[in-house]
Amino acid sequence: MSEATATKPKAAQRIQSAAKDLFYRQGIRATGVEEVCRVAEATKMSLYRAYPSKDALIAAILCEDAQEWEVWFKEVTDVVPTAAGKLRALMNAAAQEMEDPDYRGCPMLLAQAEFPDPEHPTHRLVAAFKARVCHALIELAREAGAAEPQRLGELLSMLFDGAWSSIPYLGGKRAGAVLRDGSDIFLRTLLPAE
């Protein structure tokens, strides 16, 4: 086996990586498995051996996205000592991501928009993920002493998703600025004074 072959990622890894990039940039429905295979330098047989369907490939990518978000959440919050500070840090970190010109928004919401049927596996997977995100924000709001932690967590969750959704017409910098301003208003209004 040549060194190049030994260091080349396995077909399943190449397929998932290529599909993740293409789905994010072009959309899931707009990207065919032939294009995924061409970009991944893999065969359709390799794709269907690793992922029995396009839906299975989508699910694998979204599960990876969810894991990456959980790592990001932990990295952002672990360095901040207070729950209120963690909420502020999350909003600022998300706003900062939006300023990246290649950032198209939340990959979960982009996927869910393509599968509006609430019974579709992709729609359900995203809804479950978003519920976990909202719950995490509610728990931080509770730890921060919010009189109405559910209200604050849901407001911040909605603000997150609204900011991501507004990138196409506001642009990333403005969407990030609005996220910072809105979350600051919510946090100042609904948390006890520090």
Side-chain angles (χ1 to χ4, degrees):
M1 180 184 312
S2 74
E3 187 177 327
T5 305
T7 59
K8 188 174 186 177
K10 294 190 183 307
Q13 292 170 308
R14 295 192 318 270
I15 290 165
Q16 187 164 327
S17 178
K20 182 175 179 165
D21 179 60
L22 291 167
F23 291 170
Y24 186 71
R25 285 187 300 108
Q26 299 177 173
I28 295 169
R29 292 185 186 261
T31 304
V33 294
E34 294 84 8
E35 184 176 9
V36 171
C37 290
R38 181 183 55 74
V39 171
E41 298 177 355
T43 64
K44 281 175 85 172
M45 185 183 295
S46 295
L47 185 146
Y48 288 117
R49 192 174 325 143
Y51 308 97
S53 67
K54 188 175 179 182
D55 283 344
L57 176 57
I58 295 164
I61 291 166
L62 294 178
C63 287
E64 180 182 329
D65 287 336
Q67 290 171 344
E68 288 172 358
W69 188 88
E70 288 167 7
V71 167
W72 173 84
F73 183 94
K74 188 169 174 22
E75 286 174 352
V76 170
T77 58
D78 276 359
V79 296
V80 183
T82 68
K86 291 175 192 300
L87 287 168
R88 285 187 178 83
L90 285 167
M91 297 300 131
N92 283 325
Q96 196 169 9
E97 279 193 17
M98 291 176 196
E99 294 171 0
D100 181 338
D102 294 328
Y103 190 72
R104 290 194 59 234
C106 173
M108 294 287 197
L109 290 178
L110 293 172
Q112 192 175 50
E114 293 195 53
F115 297 93
D117 177 2
E119 297 306 312
H120 192 281
T122 298
H123 190 96
R124 288 196 323 259
L125 193 150
V126 174
F129 168 75
K130 287 297 182 177
R132 288 193 310 273
V133 170
C134 186
H135 180 74
L137 294 173
I138 291 168
E139 287 307 307
L140 280 176
R142 187 179 328 284
E143 289 174 33
E148 298 177 80
Q150 183 167 345
R151 180 177 179 218
L152 178 56
E154 289 172 349
L155 285 167
L156 292 174
S157 182
M158 188 178 270
L159 189 60
F160 251 140
D161 290 344
W164 284 318
S165 298
S166 71
I167 290 172
Y169 61 90
L170 287 181
K173 284 187 187 256
R174 184 67 190 140
V178 171
L179 174 61
R180 282 186 181 100
D181 289 347
S183 62
D184 184 57
I185 291 166
F186 289 153
L187 293 170
R188 277 189 291 110
T189 305
L190 298 172
L191 287 180
E194 291 183 289

